[in-house]
Amino acid sequence: MMHRAFQLVVWLLLGLIHIDAQVINAGIAGNTSTQLLARIENDVLKHKPDLVIVMVGTNDMLNSRRMNTYKQYSSNLSEIVNKLKQNNAQVVLLAPPPVDSIYLFERHDRTEFKELPNVKLDSVRHIVARTARKNQVYFIDIFQKFQDLNLPKHNEDVFIMNPNNSAYRDGVHPTRLGNFFVAENVFNFLKKNDLIKKGDRVVCFGDSITKGSKVKGSVTSEGETYPAYLQKSIMDYVASEKITVKDKQN
């Protein structure tokens, strides 16, 4: 048994066998685009990713202790994309979901806001879309996906944490169902655009929404985080379809 396990490890290292796409959760709570840019080498590039999914902007706009201007956010996001492209990674940018401002203002200073929170996130959505177009990378409007369902609904919906669905007066972080909804939209987009390759390494790069705050498997690609649901969907798809192994030499 030990000999067989050692043999499998050696084969993996030599590239003689290939695992299904691996999804890495690189989300850290409280991060703005400034922090993502500072840790991109250690937390993303060192993994030599084939695909990086970036969702950031909630803290840039709504964390009253570390807000960035639209200009700074846009500049940081562009630099993140450029670094990823320079390292030959495919890039998918996500616009973060809307929030329940009532609970947001229970822990962030309302006087720091010159615009309503979801107005700011709507502006972020347009910055992300513009950055994607300019840099010829992919864009998924998660903000609009939530808005299409009229989410969040204060104390009523099951997608954004509130006391009735999670016992948290939160208003920002998705529940397990919210994370599943994000992952489902990302997976469907990847499949539609032929971005799922067997053996690829995928990094989900972002803040506490990517991390999976207050759900099972937080900071991992297991449990109830959106990277966890995404990994399961990819692995199921790879197992059921004839997905070829990408030639890493090209």
Side-chain angles (χ1 to χ4, degrees):
M1 180 68 73
M2 288 296 293
H3 173 74
R4 175 60 176 164
F6 177 76
Q7 187 179 51
L8 287 172
V9 170
V10 171
W11 285 352
L12 282 168
L13 291 174
L14 292 177
L16 298 177
I17 61 174
H18 299 267
I19 59 172
D20 293 339
Q22 175 190 10
V23 178
I24 297 167
N25 186 336
I28 294 183
N31 270 196
T32 66
S33 57
T34 303
Q35 281 79 50
L36 261 64
L37 191 54
R39 65 184 179 89
I40 192 170
E41 295 285 345
N42 289 334
D43 290 358
V44 179
L45 299 182
K46 76 172 185 181
H47 295 295
K48 295 181 170 46
D50 300 286
L51 173 67
V52 181
I53 302 166
V54 182
M55 178 162 54
V56 67
T58 303
N59 287 298
D60 290 81
M61 297 300 125
L62 307 186
N63 189 326
S64 58
R65 294 175 290 277
R66 54 180 66 180
M67 285 181 180
N68 277 324
T69 63
Y70 290 128
K71 182 178 180 180
Q72 186 61 59
Y73 170 74
S74 178
S75 175
N76 288 344
L77 188 62
S78 292
E79 191 168 351
I80 289 168
V81 171
N82 287 335
K83 283 182 177 292
L84 294 173
K85 290 185 69 177
Q86 287 167 9
N87 284 269
N88 301 314
Q90 293 269 34
V91 181
V92 179
L93 300 181
L94 309 185
V99 301
D100 183 337
S101 300
I102 293 174
Y103 289 129
L104 173 76
F105 285 139
E106 288 185 0
R107 59 185 186 278
H108 291 286
D109 185 356
R110 185 189 295 261
T111 64
E112 295 291 329
F113 289 76
K114 296 179 181 179
E115 299 172 284
L116 293 173
N118 285 325
V119 171
K120 298 189 75 176
L121 289 176
D122 184 53
S123 296
V124 159
R125 176 250 298 263
H126 291 293
I127 291 171
V128 176
R130 185 168 62 247
T131 301
R133 287 194 302 271
K134 180 180 178 181
N135 292 280
Q136 296 184 308
V137 299
Y138 297 96
F139 168 64
I140 307 175
D141 196 346
I142 296 297
F143 182 91
Q144 189 62 52
K145 298 291 185 184
F146 275 75
Q147 285 215 322
D148 287 345
L149 298 178
N150 295 315
L151 299 172
K153 295 179 182 178
H154 185 66
N155 284 345
E156 293 183 21
D157 76 81
V158 294
F159 288 84
I160 300 292
M161 289 184 177
N162 63 58
N164 292 334
N165 64 34
S166 64
Y168 293 113
R169 299 176 68 85
D170 186 299
V172 174
H173 301 101
T175 62
R176 64 181 181 84
L177 290 176
N179 286 326
F180 180 84
F181 181 65
V182 171
E184 181 181 48
N185 279 283
V186 172
F187 170 74
N188 288 337
F189 182 90
L190 297 182
K191 185 171 67 171
K192 179 180 178 180
N193 288 277
D194 195 28
L195 291 173
I196 299 174
K197 301 289 187 295
K198 189 172 184 178
D200 270 5
R201 183 172 286 115
V202 180
V203 175
C204 297
F205 192 34
D207 53 30
S208 55
I209 296 176
T210 298
K211 170 190 170 185
S213 287
K214 304 171 187 173
V215 297
K216 294 177 182 177
S218 181
V219 203
T220 74
S221 296
E222 300 177 359
E224 300 170 348
T225 67
Y226 108 70
Y229 289 124
L230 179 61
Q231 174 155 274
K232 185 178 186 308
S233 294
I234 290 175
M235 293 183 72
D236 288 348
Y237 178 65
V238 168
S240 64
E241 301 286 332
K242 292 182 179 179
I243 306 298
T244 59
V245 178
K246 186 175 67 174
D247 183 1
K248 299 293 184 177
Q249 303 302 315
N250 292 336

